[in-house]
Amino acid sequence: MKKVLWTLGIIFLSAATAVYASSDSFSTCDYMCSAPYDTNSGLRTFFSAVTGLNTITEKAAENALKKEILEFGSAKKLKVNIDSYSSKDLKNGIFKSAEINAKNAVIKNIYLSSIDLKTLCDFNYLKYDDGNLTVMENFPMSFNIEFSSNDLNNTMQSPKYMDLINNLTFGDSAIRLKIVSARAAIKNHKFYYILSLKIPFVRKPQTIVLLADINVKDGNIIYSNTKIVSGHFNLESQNLDSVLNYLNPLDFSVKIIHNKKANIKIKNVEIEDDKISTNGVVIIPKD
């Protein structure tokens, strides 16, 4: 069962980081749940329930899954709940549902105030055999994520995000601007992006503050109506939208570990109490 739980931990972490994937990883998130198969007989399931063995196995699995998750990430609070058909089914990688809730989590340099992942089907089947993982049926999950400006700024210090910044220049053909540093702020239900820019023939970096609307389009978070609210520059809104969507810290790409490609669809995003919350569906497709 340890290998199955290790696998489940990897998949949940993959789903968590996949939520930040870029638009080219988006595809349909329609899914159908499969009817149970390869499960134990009803009699064994009954005895597993009445003897309490099922509950004991679930608790042991939940504790073991917590440990596996914390091998790859961290969280100040971590709750895991697993509901199984029977003790033997769970050991074979078959279970009814699983839910993970983490507070103040860090997953592969992604900082989150909270994340909740929950399976959407009543039958889930992961098979681990001779070192090979097989996702027997599509593995859909709902996600709810909340993050603060501190979370975004910590995430933006990751090497991959810094590469985005270092590789970008913008402006017109006469004056090309290069980003020295960037940070985000969430205040009064609005999103701000503060850039420090290097300008040709100007000794000191100049700071501009951008204000943007946050929306969901085609299952991805995008910025629109971007405008400069502080700084002595005159750049077109369309140009600013392009820059901000390229650097998008909310939709920041992260590789799916173990090459498990996930389909992600963000349904909603909103700013509330100086935090951004988003929810949607992520699916690990069957092999």
Side-chain angles (χ1 to χ4, degrees):
M1 183 170 67
K2 180 176 175 58
K3 292 295 184 182
V4 171
L5 292 172
W6 179 83
T7 296
L8 185 57
I10 288 291
I11 284 181
F12 270 109
L13 290 175
S14 296
T17 54
V19 171
Y20 285 81
S22 58
S23 58
D24 59 3
S25 69
F26 168 77
S27 63
T28 179
C29 273
D30 295 332
Y31 65 92
M32 293 182 63
C33 295
S34 299
Y37 62 92
D38 286 354
T39 56
N40 282 304
S41 67
L43 185 61
R44 285 189 177 184
T45 301
F46 171 76
F47 277 110
S48 182
V50 297
T51 59
L53 180 60
N54 203 23
T55 300
I56 293 172
T57 305
E58 287 173 355
K59 292 300 180 185
E62 289 165 1
N63 290 331
L65 183 53
K66 281 184 183 180
K67 183 177 179 181
E68 294 299 332
I69 291 172
L70 293 175
E71 289 289 328
F72 298 94
S74 64
K76 287 188 176 179
K77 291 184 179 180
L78 179 62
K79 292 182 179 180
V80 175
N81 183 66
I82 297 174
D83 188 13
S84 66
Y85 290 94
S86 70
S87 174
K88 188 171 183 180
D89 285 325
L90 183 54
K91 291 178 181 178
N92 291 335
I94 296 172
F95 54 96
K96 289 182 181 178
S97 66
E99 183 175 8
I100 293 178
N101 180 268
K103 303 289 187 184
N104 297 317
V106 183
I107 306 169
K108 293 192 63 132
N109 292 322
I110 303 291
Y111 289 74
L112 309 165
S113 292
S114 69
I115 180 168
D116 186 88
L117 289 161
K118 186 176 183 179
T119 55
L120 293 173
C121 291
D122 292 333
F123 175 74
N124 302 278
Y125 193 178
L126 308 173
K127 197 170 186 178
Y128 193 94
D129 186 34
D130 293 331
N132 296 313
L133 163 67
T134 302
V135 180
M136 300 297 289
E137 298 294 338
N138 285 346
F139 196 75
M141 289 166 280
S142 64
F143 65 83
N144 288 274
I145 295 178
E146 186 178 77
F147 39 94
S148 65
S149 54
N150 284 338
D151 296 324
L152 291 176
N153 288 323
N154 285 328
T155 298
M156 287 159 60
Q157 296 303 310
S158 69
K160 287 186 177 180
Y161 192 86
M162 293 304 297
D163 284 343
L164 286 179
I165 291 177
N166 293 333
N167 292 330
L168 176 66
T169 59
F170 64 100
D172 57 34
S173 57
I175 301 178
R176 301 300 295 173
L177 308 176
K178 184 171 179 59
I179 299 173
V180 177
S181 64
R183 60 188 178 92
I186 306 168
K187 294 181 179 180
N188 300 321
H189 305 286
K190 297 183 182 297
F191 179 83
Y192 296 88
Y193 200 70
I194 300 97
L195 295 176
S196 179
L197 301 174
K198 184 177 180 180
I199 304 171
F201 313 113
V202 177
R203 182 186 300 178
K204 294 183 179 180
Q206 301 296 301
T207 299
I208 62 171
V209 180
L210 307 179
L211 171 64
D213 294 333
I214 303 174
N215 305 288
V216 174
K217 182 180 180 181
D218 297 330
N220 296 280
I221 298 174
I222 65 165
Y223 298 92
S224 61
N225 301 320
T226 307
K227 58 185 178 182
I228 297 175
V229 294
S230 178
H232 302 290
F233 292 92
N234 184 19
L235 297 173
E236 293 183 0
S237 176
Q238 186 177 1
N239 195 354
L240 292 173
D241 286 345
S242 298
V243 169
L244 198 49
N245 281 304
Y246 175 82
L247 295 173
N248 195 338
L250 304 179
D251 215 29
F252 176 47
S253 293
V254 176
K255 270 189 177 179
I256 307 304
I257 44 183
H258 280 258
N259 295 317
K260 283 290 173 188
K261 293 183 178 179
N263 299 330
I264 309 104
K265 185 173 184 179
I266 296 172
K267 292 184 176 180
N268 300 292
V269 61
E270 61 182 12
I271 299 176
E272 188 175 1
D273 298 329
D274 291 339
K275 286 189 177 182
I276 296 175
S277 61
T278 182
N279 62 72
V281 175
V282 54
I283 300 175
I284 308 293
K286 70 176 183 179
D287 293 310

